[in-house]
Amino acid sequence: MLCLNDYTWEVKANDRMFNNLFRKKNFLFFTKKKYADNSIKTSKYNFITFIPLNVFEQFHRAANLYFLFIIILQAVPVISTLPWFAIMLPLLSLLVIRGIKDLLDDIARHRSDKVINNRPCEIQKEKSFFMEKWKDIQVGDIIRLQKDNFVPADLLLLYTSEPNSLCYVETADIDGETNLKFKQAIMVTHKILCTTEALMAFDGKVVCEEANSNMHSFIGTLEWKGEKYSLNNDCFLLRGSKIRNTKYCYGLVIYAGFDSKIMKNCGKFTVKKTKLDLMMNYIVAIVFVILIVCSVSLAIASGFWAKWFQEKHSYIPPLTLNTTPAYSAFLVFWGYTILMGTIVPMSMYITLEFIHLLHSMYIDWDIDLYFAEKDMPAKARSTSLNDLLGQVEYVFSDKTGTLTQNIMTFKKCCISGNVYGTNSGEKNLKAVSFTWNKYAVKKFCFYDQSLIDMVCKNEDNLVKEFFRLLAICHTVMTDKNGDELVYQAASPDEEALVTTARNFGYVFLSRTQDSITINELGEEKTYKVLAILDFNSVRKRMSILVRDPEGKIKLYTKGADDVILKRLHPDCTNVEVTEKSLEMFAEETLRTLCLAFKEVDFSVYTEWSKKYHQASFSLQNRQKCLELVYDEMENDLQLLGTTGIEDKLQDCVPETIQLLKNCNIKVWVLTGDKQETAINIGFSCRLLTDDMEILNEQQICDILDDYWEHSNNLSGSGQDLLDNCIFRKHRGSLQARKMALVVTGEFMHRILGTFNWKIKRSQFFHNLTDRFYRKTRNPSEEEVNLRQYAFVDLATKCQAVICCRVTPKQKAMIVQLVKKHKKATTLAIGDGANDVNMIKTADIGVGISGLEGTQAVQASDYALAQFSYLQRLLLIHGRWSYLRIAKFLRYFFYKTSASVLCHVWFACFNGFTALTVFDSWFIALYSVLFTAFPALTMGLLEQDTSAKMSLQLPELYKVGQMGSLFTYKIFAWSFVKGIITSLASFFVAYGACQDTTGPGSTCDYQSFAVITATSVILAVTVEITFEISYWTLVSVLAFIISPVVYFLLSLLTQSSPVFRFMPTIFQFPDATRNTLCHGFIWLPILLAVGISILPSLLASFVTSMFGHNQVNHRNSFGVKNRPEVNTVAMTAPFRRGSLNRRSSYAFSHKEGYADLITKGTSLRRSKVNDCVPEDIEMSPKSD
């Protein structure tokens, strides 16, 4: 709850000078304006900061710091052992490539910001309204919005063109919901601020809460003319909402720019890293330690060797005077550090950037991810997270606009025990014709002609009352679009039901404060509205009491079946048949609704009317008194039937969720909708099934209480809680139960409190300081941490989790809690602005590029048109990308260690003098050209199964979740293989050259270097055949070209002409040609290659004989027994009494619309007395 100190936001209308007086602390003693302007900036760089900031970000990578360290050492001539270009040029290339990529991404953000900031808007200045840009808006300005305009800032609604200053808004760009919501200005501004002169003179001051992220609440007061008026969320317009069905409106800017509620919920851009990226940082540290250990060992050996050599060969004068063995060892240490610095090759990172880029382009080019209906291809907005797509463990999804289309379709109904409509699975059905009805909506489809025939006969009284109820019992408003009748509904369910009645000949035409007019099969009738018994979430029903043209008083009631069936007359018929139809509709995941009516005697109505009037004016417990009066009337009803409405899912949503479950990916739905609506969608998309035990809030509290009451002496860490025997007992009991968790945002706030977003420490730092941090942590923090861990642990034990009525910040909090306590890879997918924070917080953010705005897409890493496209994105592109990069990394470390470690063995024969065993050009080009092509083709084209098989075998995805293709053990094994290759290449060559002095012999240093280098090149080239499982023409060509390039470039760089031109750079004249021209030299080379590949041959033999490869062993998953396409069983038994009793209307409607109608608030009167501003036309631009 907010305290008085929180109400310090003061905004005075039409007074920028007053509003600019407010300041807030910025840095040290500096201050800045308290109120933000309305321009937004989502970009990271500008012209001045791009280079320093981007370089600073890039050097957060451990590898870049490592290369910078090596380059600094290279700049010291006394210890430099490699030419400057060996590392400097690759590092500059890498920084430039990454910088260009970041620049292009930021330019796209700049363009998006520019488009939004330059949107036109009418701002009041001096004595008129002038067309300005959004970025020119400031707090305290009065702005005018026309129909279909987006709201540019958070506004206090002052006046509208609608009766009683009602304003209809659509929040599709915020939460994906296309149904209209109403706002209403307070009465004092509606009555007075109805002219331009009054708006110019308006000097009211709004005192309200500080800018915050709570999108469902606004509390403040308006101080004007010595009076105070209460303000709430009903008169508050959010930035990003759209004005609908309102000709024009005026608003006072309260929060602008980054102070607006939607921007407060957007979170900040963070640099996302994959698991392999984080692991690479640790591996670089390990390799650096290995490098230092080797350099220190060789330096110590150099010192001892120098001392021994001087003692044994005193007749040889030292090369330099005053050189001690210790100083010599010191220089040798740095020399070997530089020489072996290429053990982490820069070319690996450059190649990785190229591979990531191509993987992203594969996603962009995938024709199966192209949504032709809206001309929307998939877009990989990030090029560095592709391999993480193959390791996702949790998917957090929005509901409206992501899982559903927010389109309600009338599918079935049951009238008098007869079921009408067709099953969803039936194909080749012919839609019935509504050409006989001039009011029919063309898009409406129904496939059962028998219901049309029954309606047209106009004989069955219950059928007539059924459709009459649909046309009368609602809160829908009418509007005209030319000659077309348009409905304005508070919920899509309401609109679907009224549209159904319209197409079947019972057309809702208009309403007044106390009447409603419909057209019944061509005959226009007006019903007198006596009372509207409004909906609320407890009643789960709505009723309307009317007097028909014949003078009969009738009550029409619709609502949830569990409340309607209890209120039926004891002699009511067809109840059992209706209940069976409810079960059938629910089994088909339709949202059901019960309809009933009764005739009311005039004397009964007269007596009831007195009670209703008395309760309406009750000063205490008015709502409770009204509900009691409603209950008196809503009894002894006659059942008319039921309706079945389909909340239309996006294509293949149930199949996608089932496939993700088979991949061991848990799907959580996070929505701002009501609990019952979310549960209904959960069943529709098969996230929930009838055999699941849905835990209610009390059960959750009981389970968590058992956790907490035994943890008083624990230290607030998850591991300590895991060690607790009571906790282990509960975890074990939960494992065997098939449960689903459905909680609300309010409940989560009660049990978890507010997540502390300010504590953001790296995991490495957290691990080092956690022990000390526990000692200073206060008890409340420990309890919150334990509660969070226990709740997350309980939730992750459930087969399905649905969080409803959650704010955008709570969505991000849930994602952050799973990341914090489960160390899991998370993916968030949504389509609205309320999903932006969640998308930014998750390891991977996916935006649905629908018709409801692009804010989610702009904040995402990947943009898709449909939820179902997650199948290919994760199981094909993600899994292949992880497979390719994992194989690429382990092969690259192998081939790098195979060449670098030869210097260590050579040190034992050159007096530990940091002399290179290879030509400098070989060292510079080894990773860039000589061995690059096979590794590159593997990183781009490798696949273990086809795309079709990847979807049929979702179990293959678990390999990526476990991260088993590249681990520290695999890295160590690659390093060991590199040691074996270097030993074989070096010592076989050494043995071949030993004691071979003579004419035509190859015993010199350069010949030895060529033999060793050739052995290494051929060995690492042959080794890749054990890694590649998918050979293409490109792979074969790369395999052949790699050694060919080596031989050609060696002949070129070691030719006599280039030696004569630059003898200090090209120091191996004709070494390759003179050495390899001898046929016997190829025998030791082939022997070295054979020895080098023995470990891989042995590993392949052992794997094939005694184990199986999780990726390649297809038969272990029973391919032959699987269907060709992964499908979902779309039927399930219905259990009476379970939570799957689902009513469409009762759970999607909003309370309060009945009051708008009965009070005449939303109804148009004659315009004679209306007070209309004079200049509603478009104003001229300001100079």
Side-chain angles (χ1 to χ4, degrees):
M1 182 176 292
L2 294 170
C3 62
L4 292 176
N5 293 333
D6 294 318
Y7 296 93
T8 57
W9 196 272
E10 299 183 21
V11 177
K12 193 170 184 180
N14 293 318
D15 196 340
R16 288 188 174 184
M17 186 176 296
F18 172 83
N19 297 325
N20 288 335
L21 292 176
F22 293 91
R23 315 287 293 180
K24 66 180 179 179
K25 185 176 180 180
N26 185 21
F27 177 70
L28 297 178
F29 53 86
F30 297 100
T31 61
K32 65 176 182 179
K33 287 198 309 181
K34 179 179 180 180
Y35 304 143
D37 57 33
N38 203 46
S39 63
I40 62 168
K41 177 187 174 185
T42 60
S43 56
K44 294 193 295 183
Y45 313 113
N46 58 38
F47 183 77
I48 298 175
T49 63
F50 170 69
I51 292 179
L53 188 57
N54 186 259
V55 171
F56 175 76
E57 289 177 350
Q58 291 206 49
F59 278 102
H60 274 69
R61 295 174 181 259
N64 289 348
L65 290 175
Y66 169 81
F67 294 129
L68 181 63
F69 173 71
I70 298 298
I71 290 173
I72 293 173
L73 293 180
Q74 277 185 320
V76 182
V78 71
I79 61 174
S80 179
T81 56
L82 290 176
W84 62 270
F85 52 79
I87 297 181
M88 174 66 80
L89 291 180
L91 178 61
L92 289 177
S93 301
L94 179 63
L95 295 178
V96 169
I97 290 172
R98 285 177 173 165
I100 291 174
K101 184 190 71 173
D102 294 339
L103 178 62
L104 293 176
D105 291 341
D106 207 57
I107 287 175
R109 286 192 286 267
H110 271 285
R111 289 174 178 171
S112 174
D113 294 342
K114 186 177 180 180
V115 169
I116 294 174
N117 290 331
N118 290 330
R119 284 178 177 175
C121 179
E122 292 181 90
I123 306 177
Q124 179 177 279
K125 288 185 177 181
E126 298 177 356
K127 296 183 179 181
S128 184
F129 284 87
F130 293 87
M131 190 62 66
E132 300 285 352
K133 298 176 180 179
W134 277 26
K135 64 182 180 181
D136 300 321
I137 295 173
Q138 293 188 22
V139 168
D141 288 349
I142 294 178
I143 63 176
R144 178 167 63 196
L145 299 174
Q146 310 285 345
K147 182 181 178 181
D148 294 332
N149 283 168
F150 282 101
V151 179
D154 288 351
L155 307 178
L156 172 66
L157 186 62
L158 299 177
Y159 181 85
T160 79
S161 59
E162 299 303 295
N164 296 287
S165 285
L166 201 68
C167 181
Y168 294 96
V169 295
E170 180 186 279
T171 58
D173 203 29
I174 298 175
D175 54 19
E177 296 185 4
T178 55
N179 53 292
L180 299 182
K181 300 175 177 62
F182 71 89
K183 301 289 183 178
Q184 186 176 14
I186 59 175
M187 195 53 59
V188 64
T189 61
H190 165 68
K191 291 180 178 179
I192 299 177
L193 301 181
C194 56
T195 64
T196 303
E197 290 75 13
L199 288 167
M200 300 294 175
F202 179 55
D203 61 351
K205 184 171 73 172
V206 174
V207 180
C208 60
E209 58 194 1
E210 289 286 318
N212 59 75
S213 60
N214 191 343
M215 299 177 65
H216 304 297
S217 172
F218 174 74
I219 301 174
T221 58
L222 171 63
E223 300 176 4
W224 188 30
K225 296 182 178 181
E227 300 289 338
K228 287 188 177 182
Y229 305 94
S230 176
L231 304 175
N232 57 34
N233 202 48
D234 292 336
C235 56
F236 194 70
L237 300 181
L238 291 175
R239 176 188 174 110
S241 52
K242 196 172 187 178
I243 305 300
R244 290 290 196 189
N245 302 111
T246 304
K247 189 174 182 181
Y248 59 86
C249 66
Y250 298 87
L252 173 66
V253 178
I254 304 298
Y255 307 119
F258 285 104
D259 288 334
S260 61
K261 290 181 179 290
I262 190 63
M263 296 305 295
K264 286 285 186 181
N265 277 283
C266 283
K268 296 182 179 180
F269 279 101
T270 57
V271 179
K272 297 182 178 181
K273 295 183 179 180
T274 68
K275 286 184 174 180
L276 290 179
D277 281 338
L278 297 174
M279 187 177 178
M280 283 295 295
N281 287 337
Y282 287 103
I283 288 180
V284 168
I286 293 172
V287 171
F288 183 74
V289 170
I290 294 174
L291 172 64
I292 295 300
V293 170
C294 289
S295 299
V296 168
S297 302
L298 294 173
I300 293 173
S302 173
F304 282 108
W305 188 90
K307 183 178 180 181
W308 170 84
F309 188 83
Q310 289 180 5
E311 292 176 352
K312 297 294 183 180
H313 305 82
S314 58
Y315 54 88
I316 300 178
L319 296 178
T320 57
L321 299 175
N322 302 322
T323 301
T324 63
Y327 181 68
S328 176
F330 175 77
L331 296 179
V332 167
F333 167 77
W334 294 113
Y336 273 113
T337 300
I338 297 173
L339 180 62
M340 296 191 296
T342 55
I343 195 169
V344 180
M346 180 66 64
S347 60
M348 180 179 72
Y349 288 92
I350 298 175
T351 310
L352 264 180
E353 290 295 325
F354 182 72
I355 290 174
H356 279 303
L357 178 63
L358 264 294
H359 287 183
S360 299
M361 296 174 71
Y362 290 162
I363 296 174
D364 297 344
W365 295 338
D366 191 342
I367 193 65
D368 290 321
L369 295 181
Y370 173 70
F371 191 49
E373 183 178 327
K374 297 179 181 177
D375 190 26
M376 290 181 181
K379 177 64 178 175
R381 295 170 52 84
S382 171
T383 58
S384 58
L385 301 176
N386 301 310
D387 55 287
L388 197 62
L389 289 171
Q391 298 183 280
V392 173
E393 298 168 78
Y394 288 85
V395 169
F396 299 91
S397 175
D398 179 40
K399 181 189 76 69
T400 306
T402 304
L403 299 178
T404 70
Q405 300 181 37
N406 203 31
I407 298 174
M408 304 298 172
T409 307
F410 182 82
K411 302 295 289 186
K412 284 187 173 185
C413 64
C414 176
I415 307 175
S416 301
N418 299 315
V419 177
Y420 302 94
T422 54
N423 294 325
S424 301
E426 294 184 26
K427 297 181 180 179
N428 300 322
L429 297 174
K430 183 179 179 181
V432 299
S433 175
F434 293 100
T435 54
W436 54 273
N437 183 359
K438 67 178 182 178
Y439 293 103
V441 178
K442 295 180 180 179
K443 293 182 179 180
F444 183 86
C445 294
F446 196 72
Y447 300 95
D448 193 341
Q449 182 65 37
S450 62
L451 183 57
I452 295 289
D453 297 337
M454 183 66 69
V455 171
C456 291
K457 287 180 181 179
N458 199 23
E459 297 175 354
D460 192 321
N461 186 57
L462 290 182
V463 173
K464 291 189 286 185
E465 294 292 358
F466 181 91
F467 286 103
R468 190 174 291 141
L469 184 151
L470 295 182
I472 292 176
C473 186
H474 55 76
T475 58
V476 175
M477 309 296 296
T478 59
D479 198 359
K480 284 293 186 77
N481 183 11
D483 296 331
E484 184 182 358
L485 186 65
V486 178
Y487 292 149
Q488 300 174 8
S491 72
D493 307 83
E494 284 269 74
E495 184 177 0
L497 293 172
V498 178
T499 301
T500 299
R502 172 179 176 172
N503 277 269
F504 281 94
Y506 290 76
V507 186
F508 166 53
L509 297 177
S510 64
R511 76 187 321 148
T512 65
Q513 185 174 347
D514 56 1
S515 68
I516 184 167
T517 302
I518 66 174
N519 184 302
E520 298 183 6
L521 298 176
E523 181 181 356
E524 192 169 305
K525 293 184 179 180
T526 299
Y527 291 80
K528 175 73 172 179
V529 177
L530 304 177
I532 298 179
L533 285 57
D534 199 7
F535 158 86
N536 65 37
S537 57
V538 177
R539 284 169 38 77
K540 298 183 181 180
R541 62 191 182 276
M542 172 195 173
S543 299
I544 186 170
L545 196 62
V546 297
R547 180 184 287 115
D548 65 13
E550 288 77 29
K552 297 180 181 178
I553 298 176
K554 295 181 180 180
L555 177 75
Y556 294 100
T557 302
K558 66 179 181 181
D561 50 279
D562 57 339
V563 296
I564 297 297
L565 296 179
K566 295 176 183 177
R567 287 164 173 77
L568 297 179
H569 192 279
D571 298 332
C572 187
T573 58
N574 298 320
V575 176
E576 291 185 3
V577 177
T578 302
E579 286 189 332
K580 288 182 179 180
S581 71
L582 284 169
E583 295 179 6
M584 181 177 65
F585 293 173
E587 191 174 323
E588 296 178 24
T589 68
L590 300 179
R591 301 171 69 170
T592 58
L593 190 70
C594 270
L595 311 181
F597 90 113
K598 75 173 182 179
E599 290 190 15
V600 182
D601 291 338
F602 182 77
S603 58
V604 174
Y605 165 71
T606 303
E607 185 66 26
W608 179 86
S609 180
K610 295 178 182 178
K611 297 180 182 179
Y612 172 70
H613 183 77
Q614 184 178 358
S616 299
F617 289 93
S618 176
L619 297 179
Q620 295 182 345
N621 300 323
R622 179 181 299 175
Q623 189 62 38
K624 187 175 181 180
C625 293
L626 282 172
E627 290 182 9
L628 292 174
V629 174
Y630 293 165
D631 285 342
E632 287 186 24
M633 178 59 67
E634 296 168 328
N635 56 49
D636 293 334
L637 302 174
Q638 182 177 350
L639 184 64
L640 291 174
T642 63
T643 61
I645 293 180
E646 179 186 35
D647 188 355
K648 202 166 185 181
L649 297 173
Q650 291 197 14
D651 295 338
C652 300
V653 167
E655 290 85 352
T656 302
I657 289 179
Q658 185 60 46
L659 193 63
L660 295 178
K661 287 182 178 180
N662 294 341
C663 296
N664 197 35
I665 297 175
K666 294 190 175 181
V667 181
W668 293 19
V669 175
L670 312 180
T671 177
D673 259 342
K674 297 181 180 181
Q675 181 172 345
E676 293 83 356
T677 306
I679 291 176
N680 179 69
I681 294 299
F683 280 101
S684 298
C685 65
R686 297 298 169 181
L687 181 65
L688 301 177
T689 56
D690 293 307
D691 58 346
M692 284 184 180
E693 175 187 357
I694 300 180
L695 299 178
N696 57 39
E697 293 183 356
Q698 185 58 49
Q699 290 173 304
I700 297 170
C701 288
D702 292 341
I703 294 173
L704 295 182
D705 283 342
D706 288 337
Y707 289 167
W708 299 331
E709 68 182 15
H710 295 282
S711 60
N712 293 330
N713 297 322
L714 299 182
S715 63
S717 71
Q719 186 57 47
D720 290 334
L721 191 61
L722 282 174
D723 295 337
N724 183 271
C725 60
I726 300 295
F727 188 80
R728 289 201 306 271
K729 181 192 74 173
H730 279 285
R731 293 179 94 243
S733 65
L734 295 176
Q735 292 282 5
R737 297 160 64 182
K738 195 171 184 181
M739 299 181 303
L741 194 68
V742 180
V743 294
T744 63
E746 180 185 0
F747 174 75
M748 291 186 61
H749 181 75
R750 291 203 311 268
I751 65 171
L752 299 180
T754 303
F755 188 72
N756 188 0
W757 293 89
K758 295 182 179 180
I759 300 177
K760 288 187 177 180
R761 298 171 296 165
S762 67
Q763 187 60 39
F764 180 72
F765 179 75
H766 175 74
N767 292 337
L768 290 178
T769 60
D770 186 58
R771 183 176 301 175
F772 304 99
Y773 176 67
R774 293 179 193 174
K775 296 179 181 178
T776 60
R777 188 184 297 167
N778 60 56
S780 61
E781 287 181 282
E782 292 183 2
E783 182 181 355
V784 168
N785 195 57
L786 284 172
R787 283 173 177 264
Q788 291 174 353
Y789 186 89
F791 174 78
V792 172
D793 188 79
L794 172 63
T796 53
K797 293 294 177 293
C798 296
Q799 279 66 40
V801 176
I802 297 178
C803 301
C804 43
R805 281 300 185 195
V806 288
T807 64
K809 209 162 194 176
Q810 283 180 317
K811 289 184 177 184
M813 180 195 76
I814 294 167
V815 176
Q816 187 67 20
L817 286 177
V818 173
K819 290 173 61 178
K820 174 185 175 183
H821 293 293
K822 290 299 178 181
K823 307 298 185 293
T825 302
T826 58
L827 181 148
I829 180 170
D831 72 316
N834 60 337
D835 303 314
V836 168
N837 206 348
M838 172 179 73
I839 287 172
K840 290 180 179 179
T841 304
D843 296 305
I844 303 171
V846 178
I848 298 294
S849 51
L851 299 177
E852 291 77 26
T854 60
Q855 293 193 47
V857 171
Q858 291 171 358
S860 66
D861 304 303
Y862 299 89
L864 302 176
Q866 294 275 297
F867 179 83
S868 60
Y869 290 168
L870 279 181
Q871 295 185 35
R872 291 188 63 85
L873 185 68
L874 299 184
L875 274 70
I876 297 176
H877 292 285
R879 199 178 66 82
W880 280 355
S881 182
Y882 171 71
L883 171 73
R884 291 162 178 168
I885 291 177
K887 284 191 172 185
F888 171 84
L889 289 176
R890 68 195 193 192
Y891 174 74
F892 224 100
F893 278 113
Y894 156 74
K895 72 185 186 71
T896 304
S897 57
S899 67
V900 170
L901 292 178
C902 289
H903 297 295
V904 177
W905 320 135
F906 188 54
C908 301
F909 299 90
N910 63 25
F912 305 98
T913 55
L915 180 67
T916 61
V917 67
F918 304 121
D919 177 18
S920 296
W921 283 101
F922 176 87
I923 297 174
L925 300 177
Y926 174 78
S927 294
V928 178
L929 288 176
F930 296 163
T931 59
F933 299 115
L936 179 61
T937 56
M938 181 173 65
L940 294 177
L941 304 175
E942 175 66 358
Q943 51 182 270
D944 54 345
T945 59
S946 65
K948 182 179 179 181
M949 190 64 70
S950 296
L951 295 175
Q952 292 179 353
L953 299 176
E955 296 90 345
L956 296 176
Y957 191 82
K958 298 176 184 178
V959 175
Q961 292 175 326
M962 296 183 293
S964 57
L965 294 184
F966 189 71
T967 62
Y968 290 106
K969 289 183 179 179
I970 291 177
F971 164 72
W973 173 239
S974 299
F975 201 81
V976 168
K977 290 197 298 182
I979 294 174
I980 295 172
T981 299
S982 64
L983 285 171
S985 301
F986 181 86
F987 284 103
V988 170
Y990 175 76
C993 294
Q994 192 175 23
D995 297 331
T996 57
T997 304
S1001 65
T1002 56
C1003 64
D1004 62 290
Y1005 156 67
Q1006 293 185 352
S1007 298
F1008 167 75
V1010 169
I1011 297 173
T1012 305
T1014 305
S1015 300
V1016 171
I1017 290 292
L1018 294 180
V1020 299
T1021 303
V1022 173
E1023 176 67 27
I1024 204 169
T1025 61
F1026 295 96
E1027 296 286 353
I1028 297 178
S1029 55
Y1030 181 70
W1031 287 91
T1032 64
L1033 178 60
V1034 176
S1035 304
V1036 174
L1037 289 176
F1039 178 78
I1040 296 173
I1041 289 174
S1042 182
V1044 171
V1045 169
Y1046 160 70
F1047 290 123
L1048 291 178
L1049 287 180
S1050 295
L1051 292 173
L1052 176 64
T1053 58
Q1054 296 175 10
S1055 62
S1056 297
V1058 296
F1059 170 73
R1060 287 192 296 268
F1061 180 67
M1062 301 182 71
T1064 58
I1065 296 180
F1066 301 96
Q1067 300 177 355
F1068 278 53
D1070 292 328
T1072 297
R1073 183 174 61 84
N1074 293 334
T1075 303
L1076 299 182
C1077 65
H1078 301 285
F1080 66 88
I1081 290 298
W1082 289 95
L1083 294 177
I1085 292 175
L1086 295 177
L1087 176 61
V1089 172
I1091 296 173
S1092 298
I1093 64 174
L1094 276 178
S1096 296
L1097 282 173
L1098 182 62
S1100 299
F1101 175 76
V1102 172
T1103 301
S1104 61
M1105 292 297 295
F1106 303 105
H1108 68 274
N1109 188 299
Q1110 290 183 349
V1111 178
N1112 296 321
H1113 195 73
R1114 304 180 186 180
N1115 291 334
S1116 63
F1117 295 112
V1119 180
K1120 296 180 180 179
N1121 298 326
R1122 288 183 172 272
E1124 184 155 0
V1125 179
N1126 202 309
T1127 58
V1128 182
M1130 296 304 293
T1131 58
F1134 182 85
R1135 292 190 309 172
R1136 297 268 315 169
S1138 67
L1139 281 179
N1140 3 10
R1141 282 287 205 177
R1142 303 186 282 282
S1143 168
S1144 60
Y1145 171 80
F1147 299 144
S1148 65
H1149 198 55
K1150 180 180 178 182
E1151 184 178 3
Y1153 282 87
D1155 286 339
L1156 290 176
I1157 295 171
T1158 55
K1159 294 177 182 178
T1161 303
S1162 60
L1163 303 175
R1164 291 190 177 276
R1165 299 185 179 88
S1166 173
K1167 295 186 178 180
V1168 176
N1169 298 323
D1170 279 357
C1171 191
V1172 182
E1174 299 168 356
D1175 56 342
I1176 63 170
E1177 68 277 357
M1178 190 67 69
S1179 302
K1181 293 184 178 180
S1182 61
D1183 294 331

